[in-house]
Amino acid sequence: MENNQKTIDTLNELVEINNERTAGYDQAYRTTEETNMKTLFSKLAESSKQYREELATEVKKLGGKPRETTVVSGKPYRVWTDIKTALNKKDPKAILNSFESGEDYTVSAYENALNTTALKPEVQTIVKKQVGLIKAEHTKVKDLRNNVTKTM
């Protein structure tokens, strides 16, 4: 049971991160006026919801309760604050820079989860798949940032 609780805790950290990603991308979608950014943010919000649901299903299978909250302290909080500040300025490059930092944090959290001994093989498979997809999404954010001008 103790190993189950470690797995539940690890998965719930990723659930919270995806809750935060969803909230951030939803807000960015509503805030930005740039069509290409709106399209990307909508897709990333949807994929974050999907990742969260996959992880939540595993938490339930292990007898846990998926977290509904977002991460509210430490580095994740600073990343979210930077994103909100950039959204308020409506500077496309600053917004994308902030989301790139958020994606860096997300990839790091997933890789840390994979390095724990708590995850069972079937759960590791899900986390590996998701981190691969998130890395591809990170590249899309970075590519858009590299191609955007401040005067969009």
Side-chain angles (χ1 to χ4, degrees):
M1 183 65 175
E2 183 179 319
N3 196 35
N4 268 3
Q5 190 57 50
K6 287 180 183 177
T7 300
I8 290 167
D9 292 343
T10 300
L11 291 175
N12 264 329
E13 289 173 20
L14 300 179
V15 165
E16 284 183 322
I17 289 168
N18 280 291
N19 290 343
E20 188 165 318
R21 281 180 92 223
T22 300
Y25 285 122
D26 279 343
Q27 182 176 0
Y29 173 81
R30 290 187 310 272
T31 303
T32 191
E33 297 169 6
E34 308 305 324
T35 303
N36 55 349
M37 289 173 63
K38 283 180 97 60
T39 301
L40 178 62
F41 295 154
S42 175
K43 287 178 183 175
L44 295 179
E46 281 304 310
S47 63
S48 297
K49 288 176 193 171
Q50 179 184 352
Y51 304 152
R52 187 244 183 245
E53 289 308 311
E54 288 176 0
L55 296 167
T57 297
E58 294 304 314
V59 168
K60 290 175 190 173
K61 284 182 187 175
L62 294 167
K65 182 177 184 210
R67 294 184 192 148
E68 299 297 328
T69 59
T70 59
V71 182
V72 293
S73 64
K75 182 173 177 157
Y77 176 76
R78 288 190 300 278
V79 168
W80 176 240
T81 301
D82 290 346
I83 290 169
K84 286 174 77 172
T85 301
L87 288 170
N88 287 334
K89 291 180 181 178
K90 296 190 184 240
D91 175 355
K93 194 156 199 127
I95 292 168
L96 292 164
N97 277 332
S98 296
F99 275 110
E100 184 183 0
S101 293
E103 293 303 296
D104 288 340
Y105 174 78
T106 300
V107 168
S108 176
Y110 267 79
E111 288 176 343
N112 288 339
L114 286 170
N115 289 327
T116 70
T117 57
L119 298 182
K120 298 174 188 230
E122 61 274 12
V123 175
Q124 274 192 343
T125 300
I126 293 167
V127 174
K128 282 180 185 177
K129 177 189 77 162
Q130 287 187 4
V131 76
L133 295 167
I134 290 168
K135 285 178 179 180
E137 292 168 346
H138 179 266
T139 299
K140 289 178 185 177
V141 171
K142 191 176 358 178
D143 289 348
L144 184 57
R145 190 242 11 238
N146 290 341
N147 291 318
V148 74
T149 61
K150 191 172 180 173
T151 58
M152 273 182 82

